[in-house]
Amino acid sequence: MKARALLLAAAVALLWHAPALAQQSVEERLLNMEKRIRQLEERVSAQDKVIVEKDKQISRLTGGDKWFEAVEIGGAIDIRGIVTSPPEGDNETDLVVDSVELGIGAQVNDWVSGEVVLLYEGEGVDVDSATLTIGPPEGAWSLTAGQLYLPFGAFETNLISDPLTLDIGETGQNAVQLDVSTGALSWSVFVFKGDNMEDGDNLIQGMGAAVGYSVETETFELGLNLSYTNDLGDSDGLEVEGAEGYDRVAGISASAMLTIGSISVLGEYLGAMDTFGADYVAFGDYGAKPSAWMVEVAYGFELGGKGVTLAASYQTTDEALAIELPKKRMLVGLSSEVMDGLSLGFEWARDTDYSADEGGSGENTDNFTLQLAAEF
């Protein structure tokens, strides 16, 4: 209304001072002014519609006035003090930033989310994973594509050190993964572009699947997992560089986790289903069929109002000397969250090498690790 009054006042002033308009009747002048005002109002209305539409487009791109609510940033810092007692010679000590992890996730829209994880492990910062996930909100299925870790192996532990099953089987590749959840059962199928090319063909040849079952009652929790990959040689630990003449070797993993009250038990087996050629993974003068299994028991309790976990594990490998893994490993660890987001842990681990008959030394190496870790 204020704009209309100003336009009317301007028109009256123009009419008062313009000789050419003096000959028109007052009624004609008013009609002309009202027509002109309507034209100006229509133009302003059209411009307002354009501005509103542009604001909507900007809002969609930025997530609105609270765009930051659609973005999550998290990370972790792991600092370790290590004492190593080798079979011979003096003890060795070290203080390292073992890893720094930074993750950025964004909810693009109701159906699409994205995530990027950057990782530092002492030799520069790498893109650890970069994925887009598509699926209905609260839906039973999702499709993930990008650089990701395949759902092959469970690798659960309450200790500082990763289990030996992870050293053989963890696989990060460019992949497409479909996940489906049907109550207690969950399914995954995936295809990936590995580094190995059977018969020298530059094709997407990697594939696999995983199935999990979990149940929780008032007295216990149980989780079972089974997974398969058609090329274990593409795992990060083996890093087999296949070329013409390379034959893929499939891998399988099975794991179980049972929690009753404050006690939890973990077990996992992971290994090759066939033998690698001696040119790729050797064991002595022959090809190797590497595998590992582990069992772990943990007990949780409170001390000084803080949650504490005491854990022990026994792990072994077979035909894994070529990838510098021990024959067996025993571990005991104690960890606690000393304050929100900050944990302190201690671990003793004894590695026993393969015997002399198998190409190793058969000797023991002890490692003592003190870890200070923060998650945010």
Side-chain angles (χ1 to χ4, degrees), residues 73-117:
I73 299 176
I77 300 173
D78 182 352
I79 302 172
R80 301 184 184 185
I82 304 169
V83 178
T84 300
S85 178
E88 299 179 359
D90 298 331
N91 290 348
E92 302 171 2
T93 61
D94 202 357
L95 180 63
V96 297
V97 177
D98 189 73
S99 66
V100 178
E101 185 175 315
L102 180 64
I104 304 172
Q107 191 69 40
V108 180
N109 56 49
D110 289 342
W111 277 63
V112 180
S113 63
E115 183 181 75
V116 176
V117 177

Side-chain angles (χ1 to χ4, degrees), residues 137-201:
E138 307 299 328
W141 66 271
S142 64
L143 184 70
T144 302
Q147 181 177 322
L148 53 89
Y149 285 95
L150 304 180
F152 175 69
F155 314 132
E156 297 285 347
T157 184
N158 293 286
L159 294 156
I160 295 174
S161 298
D162 294 324
L164 294 175
T165 50
L166 181 145
D167 292 327
I168 293 178
E170 184 181 54
T171 307
Q173 294 288 348
N174 293 324
V176 177
Q177 175 181 323
L178 175 65
D179 298 303
V180 180
S181 177
T182 55
L185 282 174
S186 60
W187 305 78
S188 298
V189 292
F190 53 88
V191 295
F192 62 95
K193 181 61 163 62
D195 300 322
N196 298 323
M197 296 176 290
E198 192 170 39
D199 299 326
D201 296 329

Side-chain angles (χ1 to χ4, degrees), residues 328-359:
K328 64 180 180 180
R329 175 178 290 172
M330 294 183 293
L331 308 97
V332 176
L334 188 70
S335 61
S336 174
E337 187 175 32
V338 294
M339 60 181 66
D340 289 343
L342 183 68
S343 63
L344 181 67
F346 173 79
E347 177 188 273
W348 165 78
R350 168 167 288 183
D351 287 354
T352 301
D353 197 9
Y354 281 80
S355 66
D357 293 340
E358 297 172 310

